Amino acid sequence: MRLPAPPRPRFLRPAPPRPGRNGANGRNAAPETQKPTAKDTAVEGAASAIGWLDERTGATPFVRYMLYRKVPKGVNWFYTLGSATLFAFLSQAVTGVFLAMYYEPDPTRAYESASRITNEVFLGELVRGMHRWGATVMIVLIFLHMGRTFFFGAYKYPRELNWVIGVVLLVLTLAMGLTGYLLPFDQRSFWATVVAVNINASGPIVGPYLADFLRAGAEFGPTTIARFYALHMLAIPGLIAALIGAHLYLVVKLGVTAPPWLKAEKKDLLREEI
Amino acid sequence: MNAREREQYLREYSILKNQGKPFLYSVAKDSVMACITLGVIILMAVLFGAELGPKADPTTTTYTPRPEWYFFFLFELLRVVKPPSLVFLATVGIPTICLVLLLLLPFFDRGPERNPLRRPIAVTAGIATIAAMAYLTVLGALAGAPSEIELATAPQFERGKEVTASAGCLACHKIGENGGTLGPSLTHIGDRLGRDAIARTLVNPTPPMPSYQAYRTQNPKQFNELVNYVASLKGEN
Ligand code: HEM
């Protein structure tokens, strides 16, 4: 099956045939007799592989829509902050998986395993460092992205829901920072977490329950660290990934805002009306 | 935004969108940004590494309860609110209110105008919020790590001073020139509280101050020296 060619940006379009060459005018030229070149074979192969996939998944119209949907004119570098946040999240996920291969969420072994990762495991310190500083980078990016959508008025009709999802993502990202901080189980992280949970406990109504839930009891006990670990590497990131999905679905469906200082021209608006 | 303004917006948006380029073009910018992000992460990991302090020990209290820098603004908020009965305002009250306001922003700021130059109230509020958070973060960073007390002391309290300095009180309390401002200053605490009252506070404090109950049972001697020293902190003597 041959797919109709998608509308390609100019630099991707094949150059028109040069005048005077074989088949220049298309019509009365002799049919091509040359053997297909290696390039032709490669292109043909790729096309048929894509055709194979498409026949079974129907994915091409979707991919084509994603790539060729229009983005309003005037979008600038500020619009990359959202995808950069997404990228930082992915980086956290990947480095996190590698850390999880060596980390042991047990109060008697957590610190030892963290220290083994730092000092013995091949590239362990680099991966731990990337996970640590990646958290900082992600927090900075998420705040910048939120600032962008705020100052551009992107939270207004029809994108209110996307803002709400975004705020939930912000809270969950901060929760990642909180739950992850305890895991290396050194003095600093332990006591900072004790204080943070105590702060939680001083909240009205749900505060004490939330604190008990986090600590797995009235005091920091042997299961606290396992609980933080489960939240940090399963529950919260799962939620974040799902919500990012919803967030991006809405971005694609509604389109990103045009920069707020751009206005459609009168004549275009009028033409639209007819 | 009323129905007419909404329709107007959608029409205008669809025109601007049609005049734009395919998303494919943005992918290039997004990829450049992704590379920068990864580069910064790796650079920071290489430059600053992954420090690991001494192992957590719930029984000693030579610790620095300092959160990650991005929680400084929450931590420092406590400093602004002094009276104990209002502490819950700082710990959860204000943050919760701010969060709800942030969440509901699109539902109370419903004007059709999007240009920041013509939204003076929203933009002023946004900048004020950013400035406040930045200010609190810087305060938190400047409070520094607790280590030593420079205040002059009578010789019989020298031991207690050392214990106090290493017990982590300075993370939250100021003694003389040293220490943080999360909790009340202890420089003249002896004027207000006696030995027993201080001991009671340590064993049964108001959150977020941690309890030193375990410390007392395990190191009764140090605990006594600490309390004696803190009780000796008086104005002019
Ligand atoms: C895990 C965190 C997040 C990820 C991965 C993410 C990702 C994205 C991406 C890729 C876009 C496309 C446009 C752009 O990049 O600017 C976007 C748009 C948007 N985001 Fe986020 N975002 C996150 C958090 C947030 C937060 C915290 C808010 C605000 C509270 C927010 C509000 C919005 C809004 C309103 C839009 C629509 C912008 C427009 O149409 O111009 N997002 N997000």
Side-chain angles (χ1 to χ4, degrees), chain A residues 10-263:
Chain A
R10 184 169 303 137
F11 63 88
L12 284 179
R13 281 180 218 151
R18 288 167 147 269
R21 286 263 300 277
N22 194 10
N25 300 323
R27 235 172 282 141
N28 44 11
E32 298 234 9
T33 49
Q34 288 126 319
K35 276 204 209 144
T37 61
K39 188 176 154 220
D40 293 336
T41 331
V43 169
E44 201 49 48
S48 77
I50 292 175
W52 189 92
L53 265 183
D54 183 60
E55 204 176 335
R56 273 141 259 250
T57 61
T60 357
F62 173 71
V63 172
R64 185 174 306 155
Y65 170 74
M66 291 291 288
L67 289 182
Y68 292 98
R69 78 198 143 91
K70 290 274 183 75
V71 172
K73 74 173 181 190
V75 297
N76 51 35
W77 283 97
F78 290 117
Y79 287 75
T80 61
L81 290 168
S83 67
T85 314
L86 174 63
F87 187 77
F89 176 70
L90 292 180
S91 160
Q92 290 301 89
V94 173
T95 49
V97 166
F98 282 103
L99 291 178
M101 292 174 187
Y102 297 94
Y103 180 76
E104 297 175 66
D106 178 302
T108 56
R109 292 200 302 270
Y111 179 78
E112 283 71 13
S113 64
S115 127
R116 199 153 67 85
I117 292 174
T118 318
N119 301 318
E120 293 168 32
V121 175
F122 176 63
L123 288 186
E125 183 165 15
L126 179 74
V127 173
R128 231 196 105 209
M130 281 179 69
H131 199 71
R132 231 186 123 170
W133 295 107
T136 287
V137 167
M138 179 166 171
I139 298 269
V140 169
L141 285 171
I142 199 172
F143 273 111
L144 290 176
H145 171 63
M146 183 165 113
R148 196 288 276 171
T149 53
F150 175 78
F151 287 113
F152 281 30
Y155 55 86
K156 299 194 169 189
Y157 174 84
R159 298 183 184 79
E160 297 96 329
L161 251 190
N162 224 10
W163 173 270
V164 172
I165 295 177
V167 174
V168 178
L169 278 171
L170 175 71
V171 172
L172 289 175
T173 306
L174 288 174
M176 286 297 272
L178 183 76
T179 50
Y181 201 49
L182 174 68
L183 298 181
F185 215 55
D186 58 4
Q187 286 282 62
R188 206 172 111 95
S189 71
F190 177 77
W191 289 106
T193 311
V194 170
V195 173
V197 174
N198 283 348
I199 289 181
N200 259 321
S202 71
I205 311 167
V206 288
Y209 296 102
L210 184 61
D212 284 352
F213 169 72
L214 284 173
R215 281 186 297 235
E219 289 291 329
F220 265 71
T223 48
T224 309
I225 208 168
R227 190 161 285 215
F228 270 61
Y229 185 55
L231 289 176
H232 183 78
M233 59 92 74
L234 276 173
I236 305 178
L239 258 178
I240 291 185
L243 284 175
I244 288 182
H247 197 68
L248 293 186
Y249 169 76
L250 285 181
V251 167
V252 172
K253 178 157 171 51
L254 302 170
V256 293
T257 45
W261 47 85
L262 276 191
K263 288 266 167 269

Side-chain angles (χ1 to χ4, degrees), chain B residues 13-24:
Chain B
Y13 178 69
S14 81
I15 289 173
L16 288 173
K17 188 168 169 179
N18 270 327
Q19 291 170 344
K21 290 181 175 167
F23 176 66
L24 204 55

Side-chain angles (χ1 to χ4, degrees), chain B residues 169-181:
Chain B
C169 319
L170 291 180
C172 307
H173 295 287
K174 224 179 171 79
I175 300 182
E177 289 302 306
N178 308 94
T181 43

Side-chain angles (χ1 to χ4, degrees), chain B residues 152-162 229 232:
Chain B
T153 325
Q156 74 266 33
F157 295 124
E158 270 303 327
R159 214 24 227 126
K161 179 162 107 172
E162 272 170 44
Y229 170 70
S232 78

Side-chain angles (χ1 to χ4, degrees), chain B residues 11-202:
Chain B
R11 268 202 313 163
E12 199 160 319
Y13 178 69
S14 81
I15 289 173
L16 288 173
K17 188 168 169 179
N18 270 327
Q19 291 170 344
K21 290 181 175 167
F23 176 66
L24 204 55
Y25 286 88
S26 318
V27 171
K29 267 189 201 157
D30 285 338
S31 316
V32 171
M33 197 63 181
C35 292
I36 296 177
T37 307
L38 188 64
V40 170
I41 292 176
I42 293 180
L43 192 72
M44 289 178 87
V46 170
L47 286 184
F48 306 122
E51 111 189 72
L52 192 65
K55 181 175 174 167
D57 181 351
T59 57
T60 68
T61 36
T62 53
Y63 66 89
T64 44
R66 241 161 110 70
E68 279 281 57
W69 66 269
Y70 42 81
F71 288 120
F72 280 174
F73 72 98
L74 285 177
F75 216 56
E76 282 295 309
L77 201 58
L78 290 164
R79 180 193 105 87
V80 188
V81 183
K82 288 281 191 255
S85 57
L86 292 182
V87 160
F88 89 94
L89 253 189
T91 52
V92 269
I94 295 175
T96 309
I97 292 171
C98 290
L99 189 65
V100 170
L101 286 181
L102 190 71
L103 198 70
L104 296 182
L105 170 68
F107 304 103
F108 55 81
D109 178 15
R110 299 156 57 140
E113 187 55 59
R114 279 151 212 260
N115 193 333
L117 298 179
R118 284 190 232 113
R119 286 157 51 213
I121 299 177
V123 168
T124 314
I127 292 178
T129 310
I130 294 172
M133 283 172 66
Y135 174 69
L136 289 176
T137 304
V138 168
L139 273 190
L142 290 184
S147 49
E148 56 172 335
I149 303 171
E150 285 158 15
L151 202 66
T153 325
Q156 74 266 33
F157 295 124
E158 270 303 327
R159 214 24 227 126
K161 179 162 107 172
E162 272 170 44
V163 175
T164 312
S166 62
C169 319
L170 291 180
C172 307
H173 295 287
K174 224 179 171 79
I175 300 182
E177 289 302 306
N178 308 94
T181 43
L182 179 63
S185 161
L186 295 183
T187 313
H188 300 163
I189 189 70
D191 290 341
R192 279 192 294 120
L193 297 181
R195 254 201 58 110
D196 297 339
I198 291 172
R200 264 201 308 280
T201 307
L202 287 175

